[in-house]
């Protein structure tokens, strides 16, 4: 008998029929004698629908009220699943995040989990009940309802698994595991039986939204046994592992991630002296805007250009902030581009192999794709390219690095 936390995403609970199918799956595990905590998302499209309702009233809605609104999506699905479970003779109780004391900070819309009180859930599990918990939500210390950022139900599930010391956390979604790249972009993408935690962390942070990045961070911190599988089919899915595979088993590249939410800005003619980067980037950080890649050119006439990438949603705000600073500093123009994307190769095998970057650049050049920015770390190489080349770049790299289905990776 094991304690299993299962999370079902939006498409897995998209309507009453799907919810009934989830109930059948949960009951099967229960009948095998396992204890079950089930975390649910809202029905697919519901969080977007609620968001647009709020935007039809106010362009910039109050964050506290937004969280109050958005959490209703998950409250609907947990109640329906508890009803569906009872209907088939499987005793269950639904709980909001607050009811199982998922305590977060008060950063509405992107709150972090601080503590989870497992007592109430354990009591119900011992009574033989399936515990159904609303994903994506918590409460701050004043009892205000908070949300954990888009895709946050993954994090609820992993955090509950850590707090309850569960034997496994299973993330059920609409694909049957983690693939070499998004299978919706590359039909030849291949499911991975296993992926190392480090690689999964890179994939998630570089744009593969199959798991929310914070859920992977949590899993790593508490070594939660984590598996991604499909709620539509049967199968083993993908296991996230914490030990490095032996060198023989290591693929050079495990996956390709991409992120469409990118924009870049450049400040021209900045004088090349100490403190300039901080003067330009400080106010961006103060406005709570995250900066990703940063490139500074070699100065020619005592001035240089500074380019960096940001989330596309922050583009207009960043341009406004920088124009003001640039004028004050006597720097040149502020220019930008919000039609760019980031494509990244990820693999722990890179550590022991040279020449991957040059091969990547050659493959892109052969397709006539211009690279706008580059950044590397030990286990990833990222390039920024024009948005229109996204699919071509990902497909060409997927083939060139022998990730396509059916290729013998020896
Ligand atoms: P859920 O609603 O179940 O949380 P998501 O839409 O958040 O589902 O995540 C699943 C989606 O992630 C898949 O439908 C797929 O398009 C996308 N995805 C992106 N990268 C990958 C990848 N490397 N492997 C699998 N799926 C991926
Ligand atoms: N319903 C939330 C969202 O759509 C949380 C989740 O599904 O994980 O982002
Ligand atoms: Mg998701």
């Amino acid at each position: 008998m094991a304690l299993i936390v299962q999370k079902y995403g939006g498409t897995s609970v998209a309507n009453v029929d799907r919810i009934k199918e989830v109930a059948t799956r949960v009951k099967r595990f229960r009948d095998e004698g396992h204890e079950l905590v089930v975390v649910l998302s809202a029905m697919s499209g519901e969080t977007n629908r609620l968001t647009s309702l709020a935007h039809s009233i106010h362009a910039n809605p109050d964050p506290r009220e937004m969280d109050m609104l958005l959490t209703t999506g998950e409250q609907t699905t947990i109640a329906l699943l508890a009803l569906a479970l009872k209907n088939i003779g499987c005793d269950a109780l639904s709980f909001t995040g607050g009811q199982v004391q998922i305590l977060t900070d008060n950063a509405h819309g992107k709150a972090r989990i601080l503590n989870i009180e497992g007592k109430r859930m354990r009591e119900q599990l011992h009574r033989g009940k399936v515990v159904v918990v609303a994903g994506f939500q918590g409460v701050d210390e004043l009892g205000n309802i908070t949300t954990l950022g888009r895709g946050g139900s993954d994090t609820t599930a992993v955090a509950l698994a850590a707090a309850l010391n569960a034997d496994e956390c299973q993330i059920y979604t609409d694909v049957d595991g983690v693939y070499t790249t998004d299978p919706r972009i590359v039909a030849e993408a291949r499911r991975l039986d296993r992926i190392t935690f480090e690689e999964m962390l890179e994939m998630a942070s570089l744009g593969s939204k199959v798991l929310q990045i914070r859920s992977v961070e949590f899993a790593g911190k508490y070594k939660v046994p984590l598996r991604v599988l499909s709620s539509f089919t049967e199968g083993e899915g993908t296991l996230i592992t914490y030990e490095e595979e032996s060198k023989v088993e290591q693929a050079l590249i495990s996956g390709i991630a991409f992120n469409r939410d990118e924009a870049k800005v450049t400040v021209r003619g900045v004088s090349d002296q100490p403190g300039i980067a901080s003067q330009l980037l400080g106010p961006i950080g103060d406005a709570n805007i995250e900066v990703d890649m940063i490139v500074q050119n070699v100065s020619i006439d005592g001035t240089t250009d500074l380019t960096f990438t940001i989330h596309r949603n922050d583009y207009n705000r960043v341009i406004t902030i920088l124009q003001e600073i640039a004028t004050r500093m006597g720097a040149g123009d502020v220019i930008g581009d919000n039609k760019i994307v980031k494509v990244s190769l990820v693999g722990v095998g890179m550590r022991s192999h040279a020449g991957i970057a040059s091969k990547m650049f050659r493959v892109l050049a052969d397709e006539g794709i211009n690279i706008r920015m580059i950044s590397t770390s030990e286990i990833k190489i990222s390039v920024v390219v024009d948005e229109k080349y996204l699919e071509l770049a990902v497909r060409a790299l997927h083939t060139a690095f022998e990730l396509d289905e059916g290729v013998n990776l020896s």
Side-chain angles (χ1 to χ4, degrees):
M1 186 174 111
L3 170 54
I4 302 172
V5 176
Q6 298 187 334
K7 176 255 168 176
Y8 293 89
T11 39
S12 306
V13 293
N15 53 50
V16 166
D17 286 337
R18 292 290 313 148
I19 290 175
K20 286 181 183 166
E21 280 168 42
V22 168
T24 309
R25 187 183 291 267
V26 171
K27 182 170 188 298
R28 208 174 68 218
F29 277 88
R30 189 72 198 98
D31 289 345
E32 286 168 12
H34 302 302
E35 292 183 319
L36 279 146
V37 174
V38 181
V39 175
L40 297 187
S41 289
M43 292 180 183
S44 60
E46 179 64 1
T47 311
N48 288 346
R49 188 186 71 86
L50 294 167
T51 304
S52 51
L53 283 180
H55 283 140
S56 68
I57 293 177
H58 198 289
N60 197 7
D62 179 81
R64 180 188 180 280
E65 302 312 326
M66 268 315 268
D67 281 354
M68 182 68 87
L69 175 67
L70 295 189
T71 48
T72 62
E74 274 71 13
Q75 212 165 314
T76 305
T77 50
I78 54 167
L80 291 173
L81 180 68
L83 288 173
L85 282 166
K86 285 179 206 279
N87 235 7
I88 55 173
C90 186
D91 209 1
L93 272 182
S94 64
F95 294 100
T96 63
Q99 286 174 322
V100 288
Q101 293 172 36
I102 299 177
L103 181 71
T104 71
D105 60 21
N106 62 3
H108 286 289
K110 51 178 176 196
R112 284 185 179 270
I113 297 178
L114 302 174
N115 189 46
I116 295 178
E117 190 47 74
K119 193 163 161 270
R120 189 161 185 192
M121 285 180 280
R122 277 198 200 93
E123 277 169 13
Q124 297 305 332
L125 290 171
H126 291 157
R127 288 191 189 139
K129 306 214 192 247
V130 171
V131 171
V132 184
V133 181
F136 175 57
Q137 56 176 262
V139 285
D140 70 8
E141 59 177 6
L142 297 176
N144 295 301
I145 296 179
T146 54
T147 61
L148 310 178
R150 296 306 303 267
S153 299
D154 296 334
T155 301
T156 306
V158 177
L160 287 182
L164 296 166
N165 202 10
D167 296 286
E168 185 159 287
C169 181
Q170 303 173 340
I171 306 286
Y172 287 94
T173 182
D174 56 2
V175 282
D176 61 349
V178 179
Y179 277 67
T180 47
T181 194
D182 189 339
R184 292 183 204 287
I185 296 286
V186 179
E188 294 79 18
R190 202 161 34 82
R191 184 179 62 78
L192 301 164
D193 287 332
R194 304 154 77 84
I195 184 167
T196 68
F197 155 73
E198 266 184 301
E199 289 170 330
M200 193 63 241
L201 196 62
E202 287 286 2
M203 291 282 279
S205 77
L206 295 168
S208 296
K209 65 173 189 133
V210 61
L211 286 177
Q212 197 202 32
I213 171 93
R214 283 189 188 166
S215 72
V216 187
E217 287 168 358
F218 244 103
K221 192 163 171 196
Y222 298 98
K223 299 282 178 289
V224 175
L226 184 60
R227 198 179 277 281
V228 177
L229 359 77
S230 166
S231 69
F232 293 78
T233 56
E234 298 300 320
E236 292 296 299
T238 302
L239 181 70
I240 284 76
T241 62
Y242 297 98
E243 282 146 40
E244 293 251 317
E245 308 283 318
S246 75
K247 287 234 157 52
V248 187
E249 290 171 77
Q250 260 176 25
L252 206 52
I253 302 298
S254 293
I256 303 177
F258 54 83
N259 193 350
R260 299 174 199 269
D261 304 327
E262 302 268 336
K264 74 180 170 83
V265 285
T266 300
V267 187
R268 286 233 171 100
V270 187
S271 69
D272 190 18
Q273 62 189 55
I276 290 297
S278 130
Q279 278 178 48
L280 283 169
L281 295 174
I284 307 289
D286 294 345
N288 221 350
I289 295 168
E290 266 179 54
V291 170
D292 181 18
M293 294 182 187
I294 306 174
V295 176
Q296 186 185 318
N297 273 344
V298 176
S299 72
I300 300 170
D301 52 0
T303 68
T304 179
D305 296 346
L306 191 81
T307 301
F308 55 91
T309 61
I310 45 171
H311 194 286
R312 211 175 270 191
N313 290 347
D314 296 324
Y315 181 68
N316 290 333
R317 241 171 7 124
V318 169
I319 295 272
T320 311
I321 294 172
L322 286 180
Q323 265 163 351
E324 200 213 298
I325 308 171
T327 311
R328 222 180 326 122
M329 283 175 26
D333 296 346
V334 176
I335 52 170
D337 187 349
N338 64 354
K339 297 244 170 338
I340 54 148
V341 292
K342 183 167 69 176
V343 177
S344 311
L345 296 183
V346 174
V348 289
M350 258 184 230
R351 284 202 183 109
S352 47
H353 283 81
I356 296 183
S358 59
K359 178 169 173 181
M360 180 184 198
F361 304 156
R362 197 171 57 243
V363 170
L364 295 173
D366 287 348
E367 297 293 342
I369 301 172
N370 199 9
I371 300 171
R372 309 245 169 231
M373 290 170 89
I374 302 168
S375 102
T376 63
S377 79
E378 230 193 344
I379 66 164
K380 73 118 205 279
I381 306 168
S382 299
V383 295
V384 166
V385 299
D386 290 351
E387 185 178 65
K388 63 180 183 220
Y389 293 127
L390 172 73
E391 299 190 2
L392 178 61
V394 174
R395 288 206 184 101
L397 291 167
H398 199 269
T399 304
F401 283 92
E402 302 182 348
L403 295 172
D404 289 356
E405 183 84 77
V407 171
N408 187 9
L409 292 165
S410 54

